[in-house]
């Protein structure tokens, strides 16, 4: 029998961290000017990349970090700095350079990681996996991760009609708002990492 309480806890925790609703404006700004088919492909590719990264760290995350002598705060700070670079491109109007590259690149970076599979989601998943005692717990964690990724795909996939509705002026506004929100997320990640370093957890 599935551990329903654990399943809900995993889903809600990752839903809040990965924020499918908040991902929509960033997805819209990065896929502006592209064909609907290309945007749909970017949506499922980004979700696939995110799921692969989350799964990889769920099974081997602690071993990878230990082997490379990397602490969790260091990973969090690096992810925050990378997100900050993306946010600055959105805020300064240089997102055209980012979206002019190959379609798969957008799905990989910044959509797949670190936007979806960011340090917060990776660390949360690693902590859930460490607490698994039975196969029921493992199944609950797995279903929670899958459920969140389905929500992420649905949010991006069905945001495309919004893109057609708001047109160029709306896209510019959404891009600037997305950059502002993403920069705030990035700064918060770095600040949390700095606090952890000061507390001796790094």
């Amino acid at each position: 029998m599935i551990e329903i309480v654990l399943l809900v806890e995993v889903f809600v925790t990752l839903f809040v961290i990965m924020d499918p609703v908040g991902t929509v404006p960033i997805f819209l700004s990065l896929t502006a000017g592209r064909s609907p088919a290309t945007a749909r492909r970017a949506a499922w590719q980004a979700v696939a990349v995110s799921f692969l990264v989350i799964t990889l760290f769920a099974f081997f995350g602690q071993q990878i970090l230990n082997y490379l002598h990397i602490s969790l705060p260091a990973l969090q700070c690096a992810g925050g700095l990378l997100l900050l670079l993306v946010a600055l491109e959105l805020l300064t109007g240089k997102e055209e350079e980012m979206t002019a590259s190959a379609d798969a690149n957008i799905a990989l970076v910044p959509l797949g990681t670190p936007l979806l599979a960011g340090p917060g989601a990776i660390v949360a998943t690693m902590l859930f996996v460490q607490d698994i005692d039975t196969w029921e717990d493992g199944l609950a964690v797995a279903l929670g991760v899958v459920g969140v990724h389905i929500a992420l795909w649905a949010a991006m996939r069905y945001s495309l009609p919004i893109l057609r509705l708001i047109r160029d002026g709306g896209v510019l506004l959404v891009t600037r708002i997305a950059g502002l929100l993403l920069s705030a997320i990035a700064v918060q990640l770095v600040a949390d990492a700095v606090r952890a370093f000061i507390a001796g957890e790094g």
Side-chain angles (χ1 to χ4, degrees):
M1 185 175 179
I2 301 175
E3 292 289 341
I4 301 298
V5 174
L6 179 59
L7 170 60
V8 173
E9 183 181 358
V10 172
F11 180 84
V12 171
T13 300
L14 291 180
F15 190 93
V16 171
I17 293 174
M18 301 177 83
D19 192 11
V21 177
T23 301
V24 168
I26 300 170
F27 176 75
L28 290 177
S29 64
L30 292 176
T31 55
R34 298 177 178 272
S35 67
T38 300
R40 285 193 295 269
R41 186 165 64 250
W44 73 257
Q45 285 178 339
V47 170
V49 169
S50 173
F51 183 76
L52 180 62
V53 171
I54 291 290
T55 302
L56 178 65
F57 274 91
F59 284 103
F60 309 110
Q62 197 59 56
Q63 293 89 327
I64 293 172
L65 295 183
N66 290 340
Y67 178 77
L68 297 175
H69 304 290
I70 298 173
S71 65
L72 291 179
L75 177 66
Q76 187 173 2
C77 186
L81 292 175
L82 185 55
L83 280 180
L84 187 58
L85 290 176
V86 177
L88 291 176
E89 289 180 332
L90 294 176
L91 283 170
T92 56
K94 295 181 179 179
E95 70 277 1
E96 292 85 0
E97 300 174 8
M98 185 166 46
T99 57
S101 57
D103 298 335
N105 291 342
I106 298 172
L108 293 173
V109 178
L111 283 176
T113 183
L115 185 58
L116 301 184
I122 290 173
V123 172
T125 304
M126 288 172 60
L127 293 176
F128 280 123
V129 169
Q130 289 175 3
D131 292 335
I132 292 177
D133 295 320
T134 64
W135 72 267
E136 290 93 346
D137 292 344
L139 182 59
V141 172
L143 290 177
V145 171
V146 170
V148 169
H149 281 84
I150 291 175
L152 285 165
W153 173 82
M156 290 187 290
R157 168 65 178 80
Y158 294 104
S159 67
L160 296 178
I162 300 175
L163 184 61
R164 290 194 296 269
L165 180 65
I166 61 179
R167 300 184 182 277
D168 292 342
V171 168
L172 182 61
L173 177 62
V174 166
T175 298
R176 297 300 182 264
I177 294 175
L180 181 61
L181 294 175
L182 197 56
S183 63
I185 294 172
V187 170
Q188 187 63 58
L189 285 172
V190 174
D192 291 343
V194 170
R195 274 198 294 267
F197 281 126
I198 294 175
E201 298 175 8

